[in-house]
Amino acid sequence: MTLALAAGGVYEAFVPILELWYWLLTQLYHLTGLELINPEYTFMYRAILVGLCVGVIAPLIGTFLVHRQLALIGDALAHTAFAGVAVGLFLNGVFELGVSPYLTAVVVAVIAALLIELISEATDAYNDVSMAIVLSTGFALGTVLISLNAGGLAVGINQYLFGNLSTVSAENAVIMLGLFSVIVGTVALTRNQLLYVTFDETAAAVAGLPVAWYNRIMVMLTALVVVGAMQIMGVILVAAMLVVPVAGATQVSRSFSESLLVSIVLAELAVLLGIGISYYAGATAGGVIVLVAVGIYVLSVLAGKVRQTGAPDETRELDSISHD
């Protein structure tokens, strides 16, 4: 009862933001007449909002992951998030709980993220080994629950595999706003510590930072990003937004902060162009967004080569790090 009231309170807190977003896009439609934001298609309003949020939080976390050579962790957590969706659908089908599959995906993905760290710490295995174990376990659990077909689990599963603009409900948009707030707030508070741990774990440990805890924070934030982005990207392609914009930004940036800002700009560009193209072409949004992001990456590589040719002595800078 208390949990339900708390959840209801959180939902109500974000509803005014959603209503303001509706009003802003409605006014923009009246000014431009752009069919993409026709007030009759409010699902596009929600899809664009979710996409813009993904364009911030995915490269925000992805920048840390790429520099730590953990680019594939997003793929592992996406497959376990799929298991979380299957758990939600199974519970709704068997017990008629009415819980959002995205909420169960958040829980399962966070647990999986902690398991990746736990396996690495307990067995001294490399991170890619623990990621492979969690990925295969998560996807196996998801396929087993789907195969049981309790309550029609197999129906509509494609929206979770490939993403779907038209299925972004008001509830899911509010969930994304909540995830967005948690992720951005956490990074803002722990940015210096995360940066220190990213570039030199040994020095961070010597300086007294609890490295293991910051590693857990990072993988849990990655899990939240994966679940949030899954709404429009789908399980199969969600990891791309953690990596591709960041890879493009590193080609034209000289510092960590610059790389972070540029990756967000590139991600937002890919999301907006991808959603627009997919809407008018009738294609799957997730696939189009990734293709646009890869195209932008190729242009970034070419721009980086031209820049290096013009200034061969230019060196990249490491951001200053301060901690308490």
Side-chain angles (χ1 to χ4, degrees):
M1 183 68 178
T2 303
L3 184 60
L5 290 173
V10 171
Y11 180 84
E12 292 298 326
F14 286 106
V15 166
I17 299 176
L18 196 58
E19 292 176 347
L20 177 60
W21 177 251
Y22 287 167
W23 181 83
L24 288 173
L25 286 194
T26 300
Q27 299 307 309
L28 184 60
Y29 171 76
H30 292 318
L31 287 173
T32 63
L34 190 63
E35 184 65 20
L36 178 67
I37 52 176
N38 191 316
E40 295 181 6
Y41 309 137
T42 54
F43 70 91
M44 287 303 300
Y45 287 17
R46 296 189 293 270
I48 293 171
L49 177 61
V50 170
L52 290 174
C53 290
V54 171
V56 174
I57 60 177
L60 179 64
I61 299 302
T63 302
F64 289 97
L65 296 178
V66 169
H67 284 87
R68 298 182 67 179
Q69 298 181 344
L70 290 174
L72 291 179
I73 192 172
D75 201 29
L77 293 178
H79 284 75
T80 55
F82 172 71
V85 168
V87 169
L89 294 174
F90 183 83
L91 293 175
N92 290 340
V94 176
F95 302 106
E96 299 181 355
L97 295 180
V99 64
S100 170
Y102 287 110
L103 290 179
T104 55
V106 169
V107 174
V108 173
V110 168
I111 292 173
L114 294 175
L115 280 176
I116 289 175
E117 283 297 307
L118 181 62
I119 292 172
S120 296
E121 293 171 6
T123 64
D124 292 327
Y126 291 110
N127 274 326
D128 57 345
V129 174
S130 57
M131 283 188 281
I133 293 171
V134 171
L135 183 153
S136 54
T137 303
F139 205 65
L141 175 60
T143 53
V144 168
L145 291 176
I146 294 300
S147 67
L148 294 177
N149 201 28
L153 257 63
V155 178
I157 199 64
N158 281 349
Q159 76 179 71
Y160 300 105
L161 288 174
F162 304 106
N164 194 326
L165 296 179
S166 62
T167 58
V168 180
S169 64
E171 180 186 11
N172 292 339
V174 168
I175 290 174
M176 169 53 87
L177 289 173
L179 295 177
F180 179 88
S181 301
V182 171
I183 293 165
V184 173
T186 303
V187 172
L189 291 173
T190 61
R191 182 259 187 192
N192 286 333
Q193 292 86 348
L194 291 176
L195 187 59
Y196 205 169
V197 172
T198 295
F199 284 100
D200 197 334
E201 278 196 10
T202 302
V206 171
L209 289 178
V211 172
W213 280 106
Y214 283 110
N215 285 337
R216 289 165 191 160
I217 289 173
M218 180 54 58
V219 295
M220 286 191 291
L221 292 177
T222 305
L224 298 183
V225 171
V226 165
V227 174
M230 190 170 63
Q231 299 186 54
I232 62 171
M233 301 300 300
V235 167
I236 297 176
L237 296 173
V238 67
M241 290 306 290
L242 286 163
V243 178
V244 179
V246 178
T250 56
Q251 299 299 314
V252 295
S253 303
R254 291 176 296 176
S255 69
F256 184 87
S257 292
E258 184 179 340
S259 174
L260 180 58
L261 293 175
V262 172
S263 65
I264 291 175
V265 172
L266 297 184
E268 294 289 14
L269 185 61
V271 166
L272 291 175
L273 288 176
I275 289 177
I277 293 171
S278 66
Y279 174 80
Y280 290 109
T284 302
V288 177
I289 291 172
V290 171
L291 289 176
V292 172
V294 171
I296 293 173
Y297 166 73
V298 173
L299 293 177
S300 300
V301 172
L302 295 176
K305 295 298 182 183
V306 171
R307 187 174 182 176
Q308 286 180 356
T309 302
D313 295 331
E314 192 174 272
T315 58
R316 297 186 180 185
E317 303 169 359
L318 179 64
D319 288 4
S320 61
I321 304 171
S322 62
H323 63 87
D324 295 330

